[in-house]
Amino acid sequence: MASIKPLSDRVLVRPVEAEEKTSSGIIIPDTAKEKPQRGTVVEAGPGKVENGTKIDMSVKKGDEILYGKYSGTEVTLDGEEYLIMRESDILGIVS
């Protein structure tokens, strides 16, 4: 199995699957599904260096996060879809 270790302030995120049905039971076709804006951090880079100071990551492996609709770069690894994004693309951590 291949793995990806993000560099700098990047994170590897597994998006949460989009809803298949509405709360009233209507099935949503693939073309009408919203892009997920929530996911789980699979791997996190070491952080970044700014003006000679190391800035650690605010997120860690296993955190559930919210991110912008068009954030990150989509990658497929072993048939699974992931996103690689900068930490600054993350809006918040779900607790």
Side-chain angles (χ1 to χ4, degrees), residues 39-81:
T40 305
V41 176
V42 177
E43 287 289 336
K48 64 180 177 180
V49 176
E50 207 170 270
N51 300 325
T53 306
K54 185 175 185 288
I55 301 170
D56 290 327
M57 298 291 278
S58 303
V59 296
K60 62 189 179 311
K61 187 175 180 175
D63 283 348
E64 192 170 328
I65 60 165
L66 298 174
Y67 50 86
K69 191 179 269 189
Y70 302 105
S71 298
T73 301
E74 294 177 356
V75 293
T76 303
L77 181 65
D78 294 333
E80 263 199 81
E81 299 274 324

Side-chain angles (χ1 to χ4, degrees), residues 17-23 25-30 32-34:
E17 286 296 313
E19 290 293 320
E20 301 283 326
K21 275 191 217 180
T22 65
S23 56
I26 298 171
I27 296 175
I28 303 169
D30 286 343
K33 284 183 189 169
E34 286 281 320

